[in-house]
Amino acid sequence: MTLQIDVEGRTQESAGGPEAVGDKGAFSPVNVFSHAVLIGWSILVLVPFGWALIASLKSTGEIFGDNPWALPEKLLWENFANAWDKGVGDYLLNSVVVVAGGVFGTMLFGSMVAYVLARYEFPGNRIIYYLFAAGMMFPTFLAIVPLFFVVKGFGMVSTYQGLILVYIAYSLPFTVFFMHSFFRTLPTSIAEAALVDGAGHATTFFRVMLPMAKPGLLSVGIFNVLGQFNQFVLPSFLSPEKPVLSQGIATLLGSQRYDNDWGTLFAALTIAMVPVIVVYLIFYRQVQAGLTGATLK
Amino acid sequence: MRHGSYRFVASFLAIPLALYVVFVISPFVQAFYYSLTDWTGISPKFEFVGFQNFKDLANDAIFKASIGHNLILLVGVPILTIVFALVFAYLLNVGGKANSAGVHGVRGNGFYKLAFFLPQVLSVPVIAVIWATVMTSTDNGLLNSVTKKIGLGTSQYLASPKIALYCVLWVMVWGSVGFYLVLFNAAMSGIPKDIFEAAIIDGAGRLSTFFRITLPLLWDTIQTAWVYLAILALDAYALVAVMTAGPGGPDNSTYVMGLAIADNGFQYGRAGYASAMGVVLFFLTLIIAAVMLRATRRERIEY
């Protein structure tokens, strides 16, 4: 097997070689090649993150010193304290408040709309559905200037409620689209039984249908948590005075070009990265299912 | 329809629909309206100027350059991302040990999907900051330390007008591959196994299986991916604004339409003009989506 790597590779292309051979358990060249390529890309993805995490404990001199690959000589935990003092604590708080409100509202309103559109016949049903679905396709930048003035008109620039309402509005299309197809797959008999038993439409929704939709709610909920936590364009323009975390990171990079305190920047970056990575590692199946599920339909 | 359900439907739709109309639909419609005015964004007074903004845009060298940059991203990002993602997804699916029972996925399939997808869940500023520092132009930058060691010498990366845009392009591809890998992988595992097995029994190799079976059956998904990547490439604002100093890079070499809209709308007090840019961006998106869908149309294969 070993000396045949090249030859075998070619055989497969032309005649489809070793699949027919019963080489159970042996490493085929295709297998080795696949792993080499996939490991190569994994390194390309993971090394920058790993490097940034380690740099959060280094001094500026070490980060851009003679050997940028070296481990820190002394772990500079004060980078994190400095980052916190530079406003990262406030940015994080702003992000958490806005995401908490935004995701709650998005999930509540999104599933209400999706449920009604999926389960009730009424004039305008299709039009409203397409109105929401269209929102997934259009560029945010077309609307950004007028949107700023709409928010300003309500006196809500740089406020929590302003960002929360805008996040909800911009998260609705995907949430409605996803939950719509989810509610369609749920059996109708249970909801009908509840209605016959005298439950109102709203009670049926909150007590019966919503609990049944938990797996769907989880997927789209996590998607929304990550999406809203990572939002950058909307808060940059709508909340200049009250930056969220991703916005704060961008500002910090700008100021590092003068401050030259890169350890602090990487500490801030780590504070922004770690919660997201933890959520991702716990829920990655739902995250991937949520994202791909909606695109494939 | 049971009695009372109209009222129920209305009560469930009222608030979300109002939010959506106020914050999404109305700004969208207003953009078209403002694009025909000389509104500054500051003064409440403005006048209709017809298509003057669009005429000015045709002579705006920086805006035209920014469209050019977006077009480079528009060609490069989807092609590279889709090719990488397809290759990786295929390796994941058929790169395993082969035996008489057919082809197998590689071991560690879950790990690769987990790792490749990671950039997708992090915010653009985080990714932009990491890559901006990895690509630092000093000799001791992370990337330069590698290229120096393997004998490629050092580069200016984001400080070089010639390659800054391609660095941004690379970061976009790097960040997107994982998502499309997972997408294609999901689509590939939806193809019934017996189709592959039949092909292998008939003597098809892995490469011909890929081009004759996998690719045609995945065409719908690839088409969707293409449109989404095109929209991504037409935006690029966040990455450029954070990664390249200025922002917009040396000699405006990474200036994109999003930056032009932001600068005109919020810095230069030319909200009407910025809206006109938004309208151009919208029609570009629309045209590209339509062209992509038409150009890549194939007969749908049912299985």
Side-chain angles (χ1 to χ4, degrees), chain B:
Chain B
M1 189 125 230
R2 281 188 203 85
H3 180 70
S5 61
Y6 274 116
R7 209 194 294 162
F8 165 73
V9 166
S11 72
F12 261 39
L13 286 179
I15 298 175
L17 203 55
L19 278 178
Y20 188 64
V21 168
V22 169
F23 291 110
V24 182
I25 302 293
S26 97
F28 184 79
V29 175
Q30 285 179 50
F32 287 91
Y33 166 73
Y34 287 134
S35 73
L36 304 172
T37 70
D38 63 356
W39 189 38
T40 60
I42 304 150
S43 131
K45 274 188 284 182
F46 55 84
E47 274 175 35
F48 270 89
V49 293
F51 288 96
Q52 190 56 45
N53 285 329
F54 294 95
K55 282 177 200 149
D56 292 346
L57 273 182
N59 300 316
D60 186 330
I62 294 188
F63 186 68
K64 279 196 282 187
S66 74
I67 294 183
H69 299 148
N70 276 119
L71 290 179
I72 291 175
L73 297 176
L74 185 70
V75 174
V77 173
I79 291 180
L80 289 175
T81 307
I82 289 176
V83 167
F84 280 147
L86 268 178
V87 168
F88 296 155
Y90 193 65
L91 291 181
L92 277 184
N93 268 294
V94 304
K97 296 165 196 164
N99 59 35
S100 48
V103 286
H104 290 261
V106 293
R107 275 165 160 269
N109 183 314
F111 166 77
Y112 291 127
K113 280 197 279 180
L114 183 77
F116 289 15
F117 197 83
L118 182 64
Q120 192 68 38
V121 298
L122 289 158
S123 67
V124 177
V126 166
I127 284 165
V129 169
I130 291 178
W131 275 101
T133 45
V134 166
M135 290 172 169
T136 303
S137 54
T138 62
D139 278 14
N140 293 326
L142 195 70
L143 192 53
N144 269 335
S145 79
V146 175
T147 52
K148 208 164 57 178
K149 201 156 276 174
I150 58 175
L152 289 174
T154 59
S155 308
Q156 293 286 305
Y157 302 111
L158 298 168
S160 152
K162 277 200 190 114
I163 59 171
L165 186 66
Y166 296 96
C167 293
V168 174
L169 193 153
W170 158 253
V171 177
M172 283 182 116
V173 171
W174 175 87
S176 311
V177 164
F179 172 72
Y180 291 96
L181 158 81
V182 171
L183 189 70
F184 293 150
N185 191 63
M188 274 185 203
S189 37
I191 302 173
K193 276 257 183 295
D194 30 327
I195 297 185
F196 287 111
E197 274 155 24
I200 287 161
I201 290 167
D202 288 350
R206 288 188 225 225
L207 267 187
S208 52
T209 321
F210 177 77
F211 284 108
R212 299 273 177 80
I213 299 174
T214 313
L215 206 55
L217 288 178
L218 242 56
W219 204 255
D220 270 2
T221 316
I222 294 172
Q223 206 179 353
T224 314
W226 208 287
V227 173
Y228 276 92
L229 282 163
I231 293 173
L232 184 81
L234 279 183
D235 183 345
Y237 166 81
L239 210 50
V240 166
V242 182
M243 256 179 94
T244 58
D251 291 343
N252 287 332
S253 57
T254 64
Y255 207 82
V256 292
M257 284 187 275
L259 267 179
I261 293 173
D263 280 348
N264 282 286
F266 297 102
Q267 311 271 333
Y268 311 152
R270 300 167 78 184
Y273 193 53
S275 298
M277 292 175 170
V279 171
V280 172
L281 175 62
F282 171 74
F283 281 111
L284 271 178
T285 312
L286 207 65
I287 291 167
I288 286 157
V291 168
M292 293 279 192
L293 289 175
R294 183 147 275 263
T296 56
R297 195 165 61 185
R298 294 279 189 284
E299 227 170 288
R300 208 191 151 95
I301 303 156
E302 303 282 350
Y303 53 83

Side-chain angles (χ1 to χ4, degrees), chain A residues 19 23 31 121 131 149 230 280, chain B residues 1 20 41 95 98 114 121 206:
Chain A
E19 282 93 349
D23 56 349
N31 187 227
E121 291 281 333
L131 198 64
F149 291 99
N230 288 336
Y280 172 59
Chain B
M1 189 125 230
Y20 188 64
L114 183 77
V121 298
R206 288 188 225 225

Side-chain angles (χ1 to χ4, degrees), chain A residues 44-116:
Chain A
L44 221 48
V45 169
L46 296 177
V47 162
F49 291 118
W51 179 74
L53 289 178
I54 293 168
S56 69
L57 295 167
K58 286 180 171 183
S59 66
T60 300
E62 283 177 311
I63 295 170
F64 296 114
D66 291 337
N67 184 3
W69 292 89
L71 289 171
E73 259 176 38
K74 195 169 138 276
L75 302 179
L76 291 178
W77 293 103
E78 59 260 41
N79 284 340
F80 284 87
N82 292 340
W84 201 264
D85 289 342
K86 281 210 164 173
V88 171
D90 294 336
Y91 305 155
L92 184 63
L93 176 74
N94 294 343
S95 278
V96 168
V97 172
V98 174
V99 171
V103 171
F104 177 78
T106 303
M107 298 309 295
L108 178 69
F109 292 138
S111 26
M112 280 160 58
V113 171
Y115 178 69
V116 164

